[in-house]
Amino acid sequence: MKRWRRSLAFALALSVAGALASPAARAQDAPDEEAQEAEDEAPPPVQRQKGRRKVIPARVDVGGKDRRATAADAKGGPSEKERDRGKAEPPVEERAARGVAIVERGGQVLGLGALLAGDGRILTALSPLGAGNDLTARLADGTTVRVKLGHHDRAWDLALLVPQTGKWAEGLTASSRDPVRPDAQVRSFSAARGKVAAVPLVLRSHRSLIGGDDRQLEDAIELGSRISPLDLGAPIIDEDGRVVAILGRGCAPNEGKPCTPVAFGAPISAIRGFLRTVPPTAVQPAAWLGIQGVSEASQVAKGVRVTVVHPESPADEARLKGGDRAGSDMILAVDGVPVTTPEALADAIRTHAVGEKVPLTLLSGGKYRQVTVLLRAAPDPKAAATKKPEAELPPPSSSGKATEEYRK
């Protein structure tokens, strides 16, 4: 009996202790939602320190990062996203380097070149190219493309190279600034280990030099810096990354003595004159799909029904089917762009370059499917019949009409 009384008294004591526990302690062990919201909405506690009031920052929750960004926007300052975007913006010379190509032959560097913005062709110096057209250009992403000489000027030592595959979107534009003004800060480019980097350059003045074929060059830009022969063809850029000249090779006249070979800058005026005489044939080859088709609308879609697939064409390699309505494919879209007429299909293909892989959306036998075609240039029967090895650069020529302006 005594043992039973002692157990009952112990249980009663525990019950009384639980009833007398503080509400704060119970809330700490099991907080409810109302207590949590009250804590979030409560003003920051105030702490006195040596007679001064000090505000202790409120607790930061998971959404604190967004709250700070909102506070910065309210004050008129840049948001966190804007600050991050500003930090990610590369310097001018790094952006310009994306528009510089390394001209090679058999893996050996010959010089550099500037890609024309929105064009894809490469402006470079003629003298480093030597004899033969077996040329390639190494682009900023490390890929190499085969290029052909499309136009040249021996006097100003300029050449225009036409890529035979692909189309590089990033290029350079012309500057309207005077490159030899006193406050000018110009740079050129140099290549090392397959990478292009900007280098400072000193320009002295405009002067007369002797160019190729012993022609007089007026307004050539005299350099005050040493230039590596492997850097010929490189663009000279201003503070905004725009082109003010192209590095070329000429000759400085000496009174009563043979002229001295020197590097110089071909100014924008000479470059514009050169590009005005580019022949219409100096263009990149157009992409070819290799089908014939007609507009057609079914109960579920509109597109171009394939009637003929040319043998050994990109369409043939992708196993597109032509023929009658029952067994042929209908092309609905090119790289996501809807096409409903043969003309729209041709325009969509022309926006892509030779060597590019392009997805086609097809409707075949009532089912949708997607194939990828590897575009290439259309075969030229005349060229195939009279094909000759490319061994030498073409002779100087001034024929052709204006086709391009170096865009401002």
Side-chain angles (χ1 to χ4, degrees):
M1 179 66 67
K2 293 181 179 180
R3 182 179 302 174
W4 179 82
R5 290 179 179 176
R6 286 197 299 270
S7 299
L8 180 62
F10 181 72
L12 182 61
L14 288 178
S15 176
V16 173
L20 296 177
S22 67
R26 292 197 303 271
Q28 184 175 0
D29 292 338
D32 56 12
E33 294 181 359
E34 294 180 358
Q36 185 69 34
E37 292 177 359
E39 182 182 354
D40 291 341
E41 295 176 358
V46 177
Q47 182 183 38
R48 295 186 179 275
Q49 182 177 5
K50 295 183 179 181
R52 298 175 60 185
R53 300 183 68 192
K54 179 181 179 181
V55 178
I56 301 175
R59 176 178 57 84
V60 178
D61 58 7
V62 176
K65 184 176 181 180
D66 296 333
R67 292 181 182 178
R68 290 194 298 271
T70 304
D73 294 338
K75 294 179 181 179
S79 65
E80 187 170 352
K81 291 183 178 179
E82 291 175 344
R83 290 194 299 270
D84 293 341
R85 188 162 53 247
K87 293 178 182 178
E89 188 72 16
V92 171
E93 58 269 18
E94 289 187 16
R95 297 198 304 269
R98 299 280 299 173
V100 180
I102 303 175
V103 183
E104 302 176 341
R105 176 183 287 115
Q108 298 295 320
V109 177
L110 302 178
L112 302 180
L115 287 118
L116 304 183
D119 188 301
R121 292 179 291 183
I122 301 170
L123 184 64
T124 185
L126 176 66
S127 57
L129 304 184
N133 287 335
D134 187 18
L135 303 171
T136 58
R138 186 177 299 276
L139 305 178
D141 63 352
T143 59
T144 58
V145 296
R146 185 168 174 261
V147 295
K148 286 185 177 181
L149 182 68
H151 187 48
H152 72 280
D153 183 340
R154 294 186 188 276
W156 280 103
D157 197 27
L158 292 173
L160 185 67
L161 302 179
V162 182
Q164 299 302 292
T165 57
K167 186 173 182 180
W168 190 252
E170 301 174 65
L172 302 176
T173 57
S175 173
S176 59
R177 294 186 176 186
D178 179 10
V180 296
R181 67 186 189 280
D183 61 337
Q185 296 181 359
V186 299
R187 286 154 289 181
S188 185
F189 295 88
S190 184
R193 298 179 180 179
K195 298 292 184 179
V196 173
V199 293
L201 192 68
V202 176
L203 306 182
R204 288 180 177 172
S205 63
H206 295 275
R207 62 167 298 182
S208 296
L209 295 176
I210 300 174
D213 299 333
D214 294 330
R215 286 176 53 187
Q216 189 80 10
L217 303 180
E218 301 296 337
D219 207 32
I221 299 177
E222 182 182 15
L223 308 181
S225 303
R226 283 176 163 265
I227 298 297
S228 168
L230 299 181
D231 295 341
L232 291 175
I236 303 174
I237 61 171
D238 63 10
E239 296 84 349
D240 297 326
R242 297 177 180 269
V243 178
V244 297
I246 294 291
L247 288 177
R249 179 181 291 153
C251 206
N254 296 318
E255 187 174 353
K257 297 180 181 179
C259 64
T260 304
V262 294
F264 71 94
I268 288 297
S269 58
I271 294 173
R272 286 203 175 103
F274 168 73
L275 293 177
R276 290 191 189 103
T277 61
V278 173
T281 55
V283 295
Q284 293 179 265
W288 179 58
L289 179 59
I291 65 111
Q292 295 179 15
V294 294
S295 299
E296 187 163 304
S298 68
Q299 296 179 352
V300 295
K302 294 181 179 180
V304 178
R305 183 170 65 83
V306 179
T307 58
V308 177
V309 177
H310 294 280
E312 300 181 357
S313 66
D316 186 30
E317 294 173 355
R319 298 183 179 181
L320 267 68
K321 299 176 182 179
D324 58 18
R325 183 175 301 175
S328 61
D329 291 326
M330 182 189 294
I331 302 176
L332 305 180
V334 177
D335 196 16
V337 178
V339 293
T340 56
T341 65
E343 293 77 16
L345 174 60
D347 291 341
I349 293 296
R350 276 195 292 267
T351 61
H352 297 276
V354 172
E356 189 173 348
K357 293 181 178 180
V358 179
L360 302 180
T361 304
L362 308 177
L363 179 62
S364 307
K367 297 181 179 180
Y368 295 98
R369 67 187 181 101
Q370 189 174 72
V371 299
T372 300
V373 294
L374 177 61
L375 300 177
R376 62 173 183 267
D380 187 354
K382 295 181 180 179
T386 60
K387 188 175 182 180
K388 296 181 180 180
E390 299 172 355
E392 297 181 358
L393 295 173
S397 173
S398 59
S399 62
K401 298 180 181 180
T403 58
E404 285 290 335
E405 282 286 346
Y406 205 25
R407 296 179 178 87
K408 292 185 178 181

